[in-house]
Amino acid sequence: MSSSALAIEIANAAARMAVEEGLEWGAAKRRAVRELGLPSRTALPDNDLVEDAVRAYIGLFCADTQPQELRALRQLALMWMQRLQAFRPYLGGAVWHGTATRLSDIHLSLFCDDSKSAEIALIDHRVSYEPRAVTGFRGEPVEMLSLSSHSPELGEAIGVHLLIYDLDDLRGALRPDARGRAPRGDAQAVQRLLEQDDAPTPHD
């Protein structure tokens, strides 16, 4: 099998796990390699290939349900962005890019003058959270605060992850990705996405 065909096979397997189990793409790619019986050092497909496979999978198997689930997640994300507006929140990941389902978590990047200020705000509002270190968008370790939030539309709890960056990181966070798209958006951008969803579609 050629390397490009193998990458597509891994991406398709990862896409199924990402949609059906809500796995993050990195974890889904690694598990796909294991489940396909490939050597652990097999080169992983890039995220663009996985994203294409996820969109194709959603189009085939989730076209009736995914748009409403995505909208509910974006509404919940916007609520938290409004609550945390003092910390310059930006939405990223599958909820921003439109590949999320009800199993997906919400990822918000906060850009703070003081790295502890967002954590103090959660404590002040009696929000339970779990802190841990993760890899940031520049490959550096950053703190992530994970909490659970109820979605009225979905009728279940959704994971919300707050990645804490310095204010100086904001400019680099908005550089276009390999496809020329904004990698994350602010509350106004999320509001525009929701308004686009509300716009009537023209009939042929």
Side-chain angles (χ1 to χ4, degrees):
M1 184 183 293
S2 70
S3 59
S4 59
L6 184 59
I8 290 170
E9 185 176 5
I10 296 170
N12 287 337
R16 175 178 53 78
M17 296 170 194
V19 175
E20 293 185 356
E21 302 177 40
L23 286 186
E24 296 298 318
W25 290 0
K29 287 189 282 188
R30 291 188 293 273
R31 203 171 101 193
V33 166
R34 292 198 301 274
E35 292 198 0
L36 291 170
L38 299 169
S40 59
R41 292 187 179 183
T42 299
L44 298 176
D46 64 26
N47 282 341
D48 286 347
L49 196 59
V50 175
E51 181 178 339
D52 290 342
V54 167
R55 290 188 188 280
Y57 192 95
I58 287 171
L60 279 173
F61 300 108
C62 313
D64 292 341
T65 56
Q66 191 265 349
Q68 293 79 17
E69 294 174 3
L70 174 62
R71 177 178 177 76
L73 292 171
R74 284 175 169 169
Q75 288 174 322
L76 186 63
L78 184 60
M79 181 196 78
W80 278 100
M81 295 172 85
Q82 290 166 342
R83 286 184 182 178
L84 299 166
Q85 62 181 346
F87 309 110
R88 303 168 188 85
Y90 280 76
L91 175 65
V95 180
W96 167 246
H97 287 300
T99 55
T101 68
R102 67 189 304 129
L103 297 177
S104 303
D105 288 351
I106 293 168
H107 292 83
L108 299 176
S109 296
L110 308 183
F111 297 89
C112 309
D113 297 304
D114 174 2
S115 62
K116 288 295 178 186
S117 56
E119 196 167 353
I120 291 168
L122 293 180
I123 293 169
D124 287 346
H125 288 89
R126 295 181 172 82
V127 176
S128 299
Y129 64 91
E130 289 287 337
R132 64 188 174 100
V134 297
T135 302
F137 64 85
R138 289 187 292 122
E140 80 286 22
V142 299
E143 185 172 32
M144 183 171 77
L145 311 177
S146 297
L147 56 99
S148 181
S149 183
H150 181 75
S151 165
E153 291 80 11
L154 297 176
E156 60 188 81
I158 302 296
V160 180
H161 306 290
L162 311 176
L163 288 89
I164 310 300
Y165 291 99
D166 292 331
L167 184 57
D168 293 342
D169 293 326
L170 181 54
R171 185 177 301 170
L174 303 181
R175 287 198 189 102
D177 64 15
R179 295 183 169 180
R181 305 171 303 180
R184 44 189 63 81
D186 62 11
Q188 287 181 315
V190 176
Q191 183 66 57
R192 284 195 296 271
L193 289 175
L194 289 168
E195 289 169 359
Q196 288 170 14
D197 291 342
D198 287 339
T201 52
H203 295 287
D204 294 333

